[in-house]
Amino acid sequence: MTSHDDIMIEITPQVLLKAYSCGIFPMAESAADPALYWIEPQQRGILPLDEVHVPKRLARTVRGTPFVVRIDDNFESIISGCAASKPGRRSTWINARIRTLYRELFELGYCHTVGVWRDDELVGGLYGLALGSAFFGESMFSTERDASKIALIHLVARLIAGDFTLLDTQFVTDHLRQFGTIEVDRGTFQETLEEALSKQGNFNALPRQVDGATALSIINDATARG
């Protein structure tokens, strides 16, 4: 980890893209801390896109949900949802500098969001960074049951349809493990990342809105082929 005020000031969207291409990503100690720290985990979480597991109960929810999933819509609300405190998480690592950098990357077309809406209310979502055929998942949130899981299912389907080869989850949590997320060492991750960066994925291969049945069908087809 490295951080000084002068280094923090020099971080630009272009520097951030270069860091991701090297397997490094930024975090802050807390939302109130203005500094950023470069993180390069010894063990990295990845979700193999041809081995995604969707629990049966969740699959039923995805097919029958009244929620609407929207892509790249209302970035500010989604990053605010990810940054919000909640029971068991009083603090967040998303500080003002993170917000600014990823907003700029969103405007440049590198950062993407998946939002889950009930009517006009945002109830869950995620954001991350697309580079080559790699997608770097940054954060997700949910204010209603399964909303963040639904966002993840739609993200995975979109990545598969767009010929992405790597979904980096950074770390492995119980939430992610149920979908098939695995842990790899730094060397393996770097090799996988290098290969992913040599290809070009298309985040917009699918329409901005697809239904749950379509998303599940894409994932099931990829799993059968894998």
Side-chain angles (χ1 to χ4, degrees):
M1 298 183 186
T2 304
S3 177
H4 295 88
D5 288 344
D6 57 339
I7 295 177
M8 180 187 70
I9 292 169
E10 293 174 3
I11 297 177
T12 64
Q14 290 69 32
V15 168
L16 205 53
L17 292 174
K18 180 62 176 178
Y20 274 97
S21 71
C22 295
I24 305 169
F25 57 90
M27 292 183 76
E29 288 289 350
S30 71
D33 186 350
L36 297 182
Y37 299 85
W38 293 118
I39 309 294
E40 187 180 18
Q42 291 286 350
Q43 299 294 318
R44 195 76 166 240
I46 63 171
L47 178 52
L49 293 170
D50 59 353
E51 298 179 12
V52 176
H53 171 70
V54 183
K56 290 182 179 179
R57 184 197 64 79
L58 179 61
R60 290 194 297 270
T61 300
V62 170
R63 287 191 185 94
T65 181
F67 299 151
V68 174
V69 177
R70 300 176 188 165
I71 303 300
D72 290 344
D73 181 54
N74 207 324
F75 171 82
E76 293 297 337
S77 292
I78 289 178
I79 198 166
S80 291
C82 290
S85 59
K86 63 180 183 180
R89 188 182 74 178
R90 292 178 298 174
S91 183
T92 175
W93 54 268
I94 299 174
N95 66 3
R97 188 66 180 133
I98 290 281
R99 285 173 176 265
T100 299
L101 283 167
Y102 287 90
R103 182 186 306 114
E104 292 172 354
L105 287 169
F106 180 78
E107 292 169 353
L108 291 169
Y110 290 100
C111 182
H112 296 283
T113 63
V114 181
V116 181
W117 298 76
R118 180 189 289 279
D119 299 323
D120 294 327
E121 181 184 1
L122 180 66
V123 297
L126 58 82
Y127 75 95
L129 191 74
L131 198 58
S133 69
F135 189 89
F136 305 88
E138 280 298 310
S139 186
M140 61 173 59
F141 80 99
S142 179
T143 60
E144 290 200 23
R145 184 182 184 187
D146 292 333
S148 63
K149 296 176 183 177
I150 291 169
L152 180 60
I153 292 299
H154 279 261
L155 171 67
V156 167
R158 183 164 293 273
L159 297 182
I160 292 169
D163 293 325
F164 282 76
T165 61
L166 172 63
L167 173 49
D168 169 35
T169 67
Q170 299 179 347
F171 305 104
V172 179
T173 64
D174 290 340
H175 178 78
L176 293 169
R177 190 174 285 111
Q178 66 184 304
F179 295 100
T181 301
I182 60 174
E183 204 168 54
V184 297
D185 61 42
R186 182 186 294 176
T188 300
F189 177 79
Q190 289 290 352
E191 291 174 4
T192 306
L193 174 59
E194 184 175 342
E195 182 178 353
L197 293 176
S198 71
K199 303 172 184 177
Q200 186 60 54
N202 178 11
F203 193 81
N204 295 310
L206 290 178
R208 287 293 181 95
Q209 285 185 221
V210 299
D211 59 28
T214 299
L216 288 170
S217 177
I218 292 168
I219 293 171
N220 291 337
D221 288 348
T223 302
R225 290 194 305 268

